Amino acid sequence: MRAAVIYFAGSKRQKLTELSRALAKGLEEQGHQVDIIDGERDVNTKLTIYNYIAVGTGATTFFGGKISDGIAKFLANSGMVSGKRSFAFLAKGGLRTGKTLQKLMRVMEHEGMYLKYSEIFTQPEEAQMVGRKLHVG
């Protein structure tokens, strides 16, 4: 199956890049073809060809609860994402990470994505382990 790991890094570029690569590596260990997409730089990417989509970000403020407006715009302009199985992840940092994750999930569900799982990561090793166990198929 084809999977996409999309991340919106903001000020946490290095951390989210590492988490996304680790998640992709875990999915590849299951035998899936995975593409890593930087949502802030690859703005014209179409997600129609993917069977599974993972979207990750970090909070835009220390107090949490806010994510980049670019996520909703990217998903709205990325082709057919409605009905796609998906996974939401967050890089831990700041306060109220649960609220930030809820905001990300709301944006994804607004586009019609079917959320199967969500997680807050602190280390790339955690992301890789989750990638190995995700039920993509």
Side-chain angles (χ1 to χ4, degrees), residues 24-94:
K25 186 176 179 182
L27 288 167
E28 287 171 346
E29 289 174 8
Q30 288 189 42
H32 303 292
Q33 180 183 350
V34 183
D35 294 327
I36 301 172
I37 300 167
D38 183 339
E40 294 166 343
R41 295 183 178 170
D42 304 327
V43 292
N44 293 323
T45 303
K46 298 298 179 199
L47 303 176
T48 307
I49 61 172
Y50 297 102
N51 304 101
Y52 195 86
I53 300 171
V55 180
T57 190
T60 56
T61 63
F62 176 75
F63 295 106
K66 296 188 183 207
I67 59 173
S68 170
D69 294 332
I71 298 172
K73 290 176 188 172
F74 179 89
L75 293 175
N77 297 322
S78 61
M80 183 73 158
V81 295
S82 181
K84 301 270 185 185
R85 289 185 306 264
S86 60
F87 167 66
F89 68 96
L90 195 70
K92 184 163 177 68

